[in-house]
Amino acid sequence: MSAQNIVTPSADGIAASAQAAKKGRGLPPVDKWDPPFCGDLDMRIARDGTWFYLGTPIGRVGLVKLFSSILRKDGEDYFLVTPVEKVGITVEDAPFVAVDFTVEGKGEAQTISFETHVGDFATAGPDHPIRVERDPETGEPSPYVLVRRNLEALIDRKSFYRLVDIGAHHDDWFGLWSGGKFFPIIPSSDVEV
């Protein structure tokens, strides 16, 4: 019987594979890759967008951006995917945090473009919807915007407060217009005047 080499996934190995697969300036086509599952990696993305490896925050912004470029969500699980391996990671809430936005236009013609903590941009609209989950006990909102593929960004608190300032009422809902679509946040009847 021949011995088989079993490779334990590591952040260094994933980073090297991701760097080798990166071509041009765009995002790697992780949705087209189908490598074997190699196990879980002790990597976690906290709710505030901080990436941890082996319990320690990853301080190199370039490395976080590289890892974020090969992130994929299959079902409810998150993976780092390269052409040769797929490893599971833990995501506490959403993998990205929308830390700022710009607005052009007003009313139904308004567009809202978000920027994430890793430098991704998404203009809210039919392809990048905004959604808000409310805590059933406290009513506290958790707003999200779809950034790419099926990966969302949690909209940070300061940005959400700014969004509320440009909100509007439509069909008994208070929400936001962007890209020709209305995104409801809260029933108009629940808005304190």
Side-chain angles (χ1 to χ4, degrees):
M1 225 171 155
S2 64
Q4 190 177 26
N5 285 339
I6 297 178
V7 178
T8 303
S10 71
D12 290 338
I14 295 288
S17 295
Q19 192 63 43
K22 191 173 181 178
K23 293 181 172 99
R25 301 183 130 247
L27 291 168
V30 298
D31 53 326
K32 293 180 174 40
W33 295 338
D34 191 24
F37 178 67
C38 299
D40 292 327
L41 197 60
D42 185 3
M43 189 174 286
R44 172 177 64 90
I45 305 173
R47 189 171 200 269
D48 69 358
T50 303
W51 287 60
F52 290 84
Y53 179 59
L54 300 175
T56 303
I58 300 173
R60 293 176 40 208
V61 174
L63 190 57
V64 168
K65 286 183 178 188
L66 179 64
F67 286 140
S68 76
S69 73
I70 59 166
L71 185 63
R72 185 168 89 190
K73 183 179 181 188
D74 296 340
E76 294 303 311
D77 299 317
Y78 292 89
F79 302 92
L80 297 180
V81 181
T82 72
V84 295
E85 58 192 331
K86 174 180 175 179
V87 297
I89 68 167
T90 301
V91 177
E92 288 182 359
D93 189 348
F96 305 121
V97 177
V99 294
D100 202 5
F101 68 89
T102 58
V103 180
E104 291 184 16
K106 290 187 178 208
E108 294 180 33
Q110 175 175 274
T111 58
I112 305 169
S113 297
F114 292 91
E115 180 178 3
T116 72
H117 72 296
V118 293
D120 283 322
F121 292 89
T123 299
D127 294 334
H128 299 279
I130 297 170
R131 71 177 182 89
V132 178
E133 294 282 325
R134 287 178 72 188
D135 183 289
E137 293 177 17
T138 66
E140 183 178 342
S142 291
Y144 302 89
V145 62
L146 183 66
V147 176
R148 56 178 146 99
R149 300 179 191 103
N150 56 349
L151 301 173
E152 290 183 312
L154 174 66
I155 300 169
D156 72 1
R157 188 176 303 273
K158 69 174 174 22
S159 297
F160 186 63
Y161 287 147
R162 287 177 50 221
L163 287 170
V164 169
D165 286 342
I166 61 169
H169 292 274
H170 177 71
D171 290 339
D172 298 324
W173 280 87
F174 179 80
L176 298 160
W177 285 99
S178 185
K181 184 163 173 51
F182 183 77
F183 299 100
I185 294 176
I186 189 171
S188 291
S189 59
D190 290 354
V191 176
E192 293 179 18
V193 191

